[in-house]
Amino acid sequence: MAQRLLAYEAVAGKNSEPAESAAFRVCERLRRPLITLAGVAGFRSLLSRALTLARAEAPSLNTVQVAADGSLKGLDELELHKEEAGDGGAILIAQLIGLLLTFIGEGLTLRLVQDVWPEAAFDGRVSEKRGMLERTR
């Protein structure tokens, strides 16, 4: 699911002026509904945990921090190494989606994603074992 969200945002970013990576656009688009669901402190905690988990796999994320409002800071330093930023961003989104699956479940996670990206076709369900979108039979 993380890869599909990133791919969708990468395409959307080409249509506008991309000032930041697709991963950070995904986080920003998820921020508002998740703040509504869990509050600023709840979202900030969730994103902070996802960032901590992602840093273990992508040390390039060490320059990125979660601000008090739940937004990500430190993008300037990360943008210097675009390939590492892309890998780190994908890992961060995968960790965030994984935490959402753990805390709110598959149904709510899919509903949230469909609400945020209504124009995207997310049919199917999330496989907890593989962490990817599968078609429902």
Side-chain angles (χ1 to χ4, degrees):
M1 179 179 280
Q3 290 297 335
R4 290 189 78 180
L5 293 175
L6 290 168
Y8 190 82
E9 280 301 315
V11 169
K14 289 180 183 178
N15 295 335
S16 62
E17 213 171 298
E20 52 195 22
S21 73
F24 294 105
R25 285 194 304 274
V26 169
C27 283
E28 189 59 30
R29 289 190 70 182
L30 287 171
R31 184 166 66 109
R32 285 186 180 91
L34 286 172
I35 284 175
T36 300
L37 180 68
V40 174
F43 175 70
R44 189 170 186 272
S45 294
L46 187 71
L47 187 56
S48 292
R49 181 64 183 149
L51 184 57
T52 298
L53 293 170
R55 283 179 180 149
E57 296 179 60
S60 63
L61 293 172
N62 285 334
T63 60
V64 178
Q65 296 189 5
V66 180
D69 66 353
S71 63
L72 292 170
K73 302 292 179 201
L75 306 178
D76 298 337
E77 295 85 11
L78 191 59
E79 285 297 315
L80 297 175
H81 307 284
K82 294 223 184 253
E83 186 175 314
E84 289 178 23
D87 293 343
I91 293 167
L92 174 61
I93 298 304
Q95 292 292 347
L96 181 60
I97 297 295
L99 290 172
L100 286 172
L101 287 169
T102 298
F103 293 122
I104 66 172
E106 184 179 305
L108 257 166
T109 300
L110 280 173
R111 173 77 187 254
L112 178 92
V113 168
Q114 289 171 337
D115 286 349
V116 174
W117 287 275
E119 64 280 2
F122 291 106
D123 56 340
R125 64 175 191 83
V126 177
S127 169
E128 293 178 21
K129 291 181 182 173
R130 289 184 257 169
M132 51 192 297
L133 204 62
E134 295 182 332
R135 287 215 180 285
T136 305
R137 295 173 193 221

